[in-house]
Amino acid sequence: MRPIKAGISLGAMAHNLRVARAHANGARVFAVVKANAYGHGLSRARRAFAAADGFAVLTLEEAANLRLMGVEQPIMLLEGLFGTDEITACAELGLWPVLHHAAQLDWLERVPPARPLQVFLKFDSGMHRLGMPLAEHGVIVARVRAMAGVAGITLMTHFAQADEAAGVDWQLRPFLDGTKTHALPWSAANSAALLRFPHACGAWVRPGLMLYGASPFADTSTRALGLKAAMSLTSEIIGVQTLRTGEGVGYGQLFRAERPMRVGIVACGYADGYPRHAPTGTPVAVDGCASRTLGRVSMDMLCVDLTGLPNVGIGSPVELWGAQVPVDKVAIAAGTVSYELLCALAPRVPVEEVE
Ligand SMILES: *Cc1c(COP(=O)(O)O)cnc(C)c1O
């Protein structure tokens, strides 16, 4: 069998949820499990995060799957309803949709659900992605409060720079000052905000990334945050080449040997979800030792430096990311974020649940 596999630790996920709760300043915790639980599998997330106060997903289908799996906690729909045809199922499944646009208010008035819904009313406080204008909060809250189809409101916003020096206050202050007259519960924090800004936690927090053991901050490691990597991507050396000075390796011959050296060929490529843009020097662990990739990643293989590793050969283990090689480091080297790498784990990679 091709030796690549992903190991997913439900224990690490459960641990990371406890870390989130410890930071949440008393807020209840929605485990964000969109995108197949950031590549970790919805069913695994359901089991690992059984102690969460709620789950957050994008689609009705994901929410219905969670209900089929026996989830009884609140389930939040992060982008709310995509049409009036979803209102009935939303009520039947007891889901909590986000209302982020006036069109969604129109739909709920036109097709009132049989059972009134708990809703999140989302205001734009500066990110300018989803959310209704903060300046209109007065009329909007009054309108939604009057709806027969709405049982309760939580105010919501989302931060654009919680992981950066700019922080959250430039958005949080106007959001809270503007809406405090309504005396409603609120939700604002993603992983980065929850870890750095306890005053941004409100009634409900919405951590995603941190639950999977990756750091939302470019300058703070997973370990420093007390998180455990939930996913490892591992494979083995399936070929060894000896290069003479000046010889190149792989497509485009992007890497050339400056001295004679051994190169390991690893059974992992971009069709497995490893980033093709990872350049020479991207960190990797070979037989437990820190090493680096060489040259261009191909569809099914990549090359690693075996300098100083004379005992490594066919069958030696390679960690592409996991406990030894933080996924954040691989992401930074490849010019992306760990979110993208975790979500992109390819369906062809067999997954094994580990301790
Ligand atoms: C994805 C998402 C989150 C989780 O963000 P992380 O950075 O992964 O913690 C929180 N809130 C909303 C609205 C989201 O879409």
Side-chain angles (χ1 to χ4, degrees):
M1 201 169 81
R2 194 166 171 259
I4 190 166
K5 60 176 185 280
I8 294 190
S9 166
L10 272 59
M13 291 160 77
H15 165 86
N16 297 331
L17 176 65
R18 289 191 291 274
V19 174
R21 197 180 284 293
H23 278 83
N25 207 9
R28 282 176 291 172
V29 182
F30 269 107
V32 179
V33 297
K34 62 190 176 189
N36 194 31
Y38 292 49
H40 296 66
L42 192 61
S43 155
R44 284 183 207 100
R46 199 273 301 169
R47 285 177 279 145
F49 304 143
D53 302 299
F55 290 86
V57 295
L58 278 190
T59 66
L60 202 56
E61 193 189 3
E62 293 166 304
N65 275 335
L66 284 174
R67 286 281 182 252
L68 277 177
M69 293 173 200
V71 165
E72 291 177 349
Q73 294 100 315
I75 300 177
M76 165 178 196
L77 295 175
L78 287 162
E79 293 179 358
L81 307 164
F82 295 102
T84 49
D85 57 323
E86 298 192 338
I87 293 174
T88 305
C90 202
E92 278 169 3
L93 295 168
L95 310 180
W96 298 16
V98 170
L99 305 177
H100 62 77
H101 194 278
Q104 293 172 324
L105 307 191
D106 298 341
W107 297 340
L108 274 186
E109 282 169 341
R110 202 150 23 98
V111 188
R115 255 203 291 162
L117 306 174
Q118 287 287 339
V119 300
F120 287 88
L121 201 49
K122 186 168 189 177
F123 288 100
D124 172 39
S125 57
M127 180 151 177
H128 297 124
R129 199 176 59 177
L130 292 187
M132 291 177 277
L134 191 51
E136 295 168 24
H137 69 87
V139 263
I140 292 169
V141 171
R143 182 178 168 195
V144 175
R145 274 196 156 133
M147 287 184 193
V150 170
I153 301 172
T154 302
L155 301 173
M156 175 181 173
T157 196
H158 194 58
F159 298 126
Q161 295 181 296
D163 57 328
E164 297 173 15
V168 299
D169 284 337
W170 66 275
Q171 290 182 260
L172 186 62
R173 283 227 186 84
F175 172 71
L176 292 182
D177 288 351
T179 59
K180 68 171 178 264
T181 55
H182 306 298
L184 287 168
W186 54 276
S187 171
N190 59 1
S191 299
L194 147 68
L195 287 165
R196 286 230 164 125
F197 307 107
H199 66 288
C201 285
W204 286 95
V205 291
R206 312 187 300 267
L209 188 72
M210 69 174 293
L211 301 182
Y212 307 99
S215 169
F217 309 111
D219 60 358
T220 309
S221 70
T222 301
R223 184 178 308 217
L225 296 170
L227 302 171
K228 291 183 185 164
M231 183 194 292
S232 65
L233 180 63
T234 59
S235 189
E236 291 177 8
I237 304 275
I238 59 163
V240 176
Q241 296 284 338
T242 303
L243 302 187
R244 286 177 292 195
T245 302
E247 287 183 329
V249 67
Y251 288 122
Q253 299 278 282
L254 290 195
F255 174 81
R256 283 185 187 277
E258 285 172 4
R259 58 189 72 82
M261 66 186 291
R262 288 169 78 238
V263 172
I265 314 302
V266 182
C268 174
Y270 59 78
D272 299 302
Y274 194 88
R276 182 174 173 278
H277 294 289
T280 290
T282 301
V284 59
V286 180
D287 201 15
C289 300
S291 183
R292 57 174 185 151
T293 65
L294 299 175
R296 194 172 273 163
V297 173
S298 39
M299 185 183 285
D300 311 310
M301 284 171 274
L302 55 79
C303 307
V304 296
D305 193 346
L306 300 186
T307 303
L309 302 171
N311 299 323
V312 165
I314 304 295
S316 293
V318 177
E319 181 181 288
L320 287 317
W321 62 68
Q324 299 170 78
V325 183
V327 66
D328 315 286
K329 296 274 156 47
V330 179
I332 289 168
T336 182
V337 288
S338 51
Y339 297 81
E340 190 181 10
L341 301 190
L342 297 173
C343 293
L345 180 72
R348 83 176 191 184
V349 178
V351 174
E352 195 172 76
E353 285 173 21
V354 299
E355 270 303 292

